[in-house]
Each structure stands twice: as structure tokens, then as C-alpha cells.
Amino acid sequence: MTSVKSLKLFVVSLMAWGFLFSCATQEKDLNTAEGLFAYAKEFADAERYEVALAKYADVRNKFPYSNLATEAELAIADVHYQRESYTESEVAYQNFRDLHPKHPKSDYVLYRIAMSYYMQLPETIDRDLSVGKDAIYHFMELTKLYPKSEFAADSKAKRDDVFSRLAQKELYIADFYFKDEKYSAALRRYESALYKYPGLGFDPRAHLGAAKSAHKIADQKKQDLHSKALTTKYPNSDEAQKLKSEGL
């Protein structure tokens, strides 16, 4: 009995929703760019993304010389982003940028390109983070081209977050090599972290790992180099204390 009642409520709700959309449609002239664009936006706001994409495409195709045709192109990219289709949104935003390099929302478009890459990053560092390099490139491009943009501060923060993830990934791989007793490979990775991602808070860990790896392969020169850097630059760090306790 309950399921029948629930079904009836669902049907009534669906009919009501359809009625509202029908009324809204009647209030708009779908033979104009303005009316069709507004109609497409209603579907986007209602999270009916496939229909919204089709309607925005209609605006672009039926009214190619209208200013709203350009706005429909941007709206299509936004819909892809809203439905979390970040590969598609990146392509759509990039195409828009190529076609309209002087658009008033150019900083927003560039920010969304960067964010489309950023949102594709995996949650854990043990997976492929290569897409992060594309995110960094576009975040840095935004802060360079539009330093006063409302998106500049968040772009810097997101850029630093990606750098941090990449640094942790480099150290993760270095630790893996060290545990696997591949000390030369571990040393290269620890030094790579120091070279590529300095000043992010991971230098003491990288110096310690490099010193221990160099010790394992009897590279006294590099062992001394990293031991001195650790104890001189970060004398109060846990890593410096550990280095001393291990007699390195």
C-alpha cells in the first residue's frame, strides 16, 4: 500500500514539474536567442544537463550572430563542469579561449581550465598525479596575466596545493625505493624533491632520506652534503635529531 502511495506522489510531482516547465516555456519566445537561452538555463539550473547542453547548442547554431551565441558556448563549458565532466569542460573552456581570446571573462575561463585539471587529481598521492602539472601551468598563467583577478588568490592557493602533492609523491616514491633497498634510485628521488619542490616544508625529510641513501651506497660526499644541510638549515627539526641519533 505504501509503495502505491509513493508511486502516486512521484507521478504527481513529475506532472507538476512538467507543468511548471511547460508554463515557463510558454512565457518565452523560443524563436529568439534570448528566449531559447533562458530556456536552456532553466534546464541547467534544474540539473538536467543533457537537455541544457542541447538547448545551448541550439542557441549557438540557430543564432550564430547573436551575442548570446558566444555566451552559449561558455555556458556549455559551465554545464560540463557542473556535471563534473572535467575532461570535457577543459576542452570546452580551452576552445572558447582560443575562439574568444579577448572576452571580458577571460580570467574566469582560464581559471576554469586550471580547475578542470585540478578536479581530475586523485585523492591519494600513490596514484598518477601528472595532470597536476597542467593545473599548475594554468594557475600560474592566470596569476601572471591577471594578477588582480578575483580568481588570483585561489589560483595561488591551488597551485601550492598541487606542488605539495607532487612533492609528497616524489618522497613517497623515494621511500619506496629505500625500503626496497634500491638506494641509488632513492637518492635520486630525494634530491629530485629538493630540486623541484623546495620550501614547501618537505626539505628536512628529503635531506634525511638523501643522507641515509648516500650512506647505504658509501657516497660520503653526498652524505656529508645532505647531513650538513639538514643540521645547519633545520637544526631543531625531528629529522635533524634522528640524523644525530643514527650517527650520520
Side-chain angles (χ1 to χ4, degrees):
M1 186 69 179
T2 303
S3 60
V4 174
K5 185 177 181 181
S6 299
L7 180 60
K8 289 182 178 179
L9 288 173
F10 173 76
V11 172
V12 170
S13 299
L14 189 62
M15 291 175 64
W17 185 88
F19 176 75
L20 289 174
F21 253 95
S22 177
C23 291
T25 303
Q26 292 175 7
E27 294 174 1
K28 298 176 179 61
D29 185 353
L30 301 185
N31 293 315
T32 66
E34 292 76 12
L36 190 53
F37 188 93
Y39 189 46
K41 187 176 184 305
E42 286 186 355
F43 282 108
D45 292 342
E47 299 183 1
R48 294 193 61 189
Y49 298 128
E50 293 298 333
V51 181
L53 288 171
K55 298 305 177 183
Y56 280 128
D58 284 344
V59 175
R60 181 190 59 194
N61 297 331
K62 292 180 179 180
F63 306 98
Y65 303 110
S66 167
N67 290 334
L68 287 177
T70 300
E71 296 308 306
E73 292 177 22
L74 182 54
I76 287 172
D78 286 337
V79 170
H80 283 308
Y81 190 89
Q82 290 163 11
R83 67 173 184 168
E84 301 180 6
S85 298
Y86 299 117
T87 301
E88 288 83 355
S89 67
E90 179 273 317
V91 172
Y93 285 122
Q94 189 62 64
N95 287 340
F96 183 89
R97 188 184 184 207
D98 292 341
L99 291 171
H100 311 285
K102 296 183 179 180
H103 192 274
K105 293 183 179 180
S106 291
D107 61 331
Y108 167 79
V109 173
L110 183 52
Y111 175 71
R112 277 297 180 88
I113 292 173
M115 284 299 298
S116 293
Y117 283 118
Y118 180 82
M119 296 302 292
Q120 293 179 61
L121 283 167
E123 295 182 0
T124 57
I125 62 169
D126 58 336
R127 297 172 61 190
D128 183 13
L129 301 181
S130 58
V131 70
K133 296 178 182 179
D134 293 306
I136 288 173
Y137 176 85
H138 289 93
F139 282 133
M140 293 182 69
E141 187 179 14
L142 187 145
T143 56
K144 180 181 178 180
L145 295 178
Y146 310 102
K148 296 183 180 180
S149 168
E150 62 180 298
F151 307 106
D154 191 58
S155 292
K156 291 178 182 178
K158 292 291 194 308
R159 175 204 63 192
D160 291 346
D161 176 56
V162 180
F163 269 130
S164 178
R165 296 194 204 190
L166 292 174
Q168 292 179 71
K169 177 62 175 284
E170 198 75 12
L171 293 174
Y172 172 84
I173 295 173
D175 290 343
F176 176 83
Y177 281 136
F178 189 90
K179 292 176 182 178
D180 205 33
E181 300 183 0
K182 297 178 180 177
Y183 302 117
S184 293
L187 176 59
R188 287 194 297 271
R189 286 291 187 165
Y190 286 123
E191 290 186 325
S192 176
L194 288 165
Y195 176 74
K196 293 179 179 178
Y197 313 110
L200 295 177
F202 304 106
D203 291 19
R205 179 179 163 189
H207 279 303
L208 176 61
K212 291 172 65 176
S213 299
H215 175 72
K216 290 290 187 179
I217 60 175
D219 188 334
Q220 192 63 47
K221 183 178 180 180
K222 286 199 171 183
Q223 179 184 338
D224 292 343
L225 175 69
H226 290 290
S227 295
K228 182 178 180 180
L230 179 55
T231 55
T232 302
K233 296 180 180 179
Y234 313 99
N236 300 320
S237 66
D238 292 339
E239 288 82 2
Q241 301 306 314
K242 188 173 183 179
L243 184 76
K244 294 179 181 178
S245 68
E246 294 185 13
L248 300 177

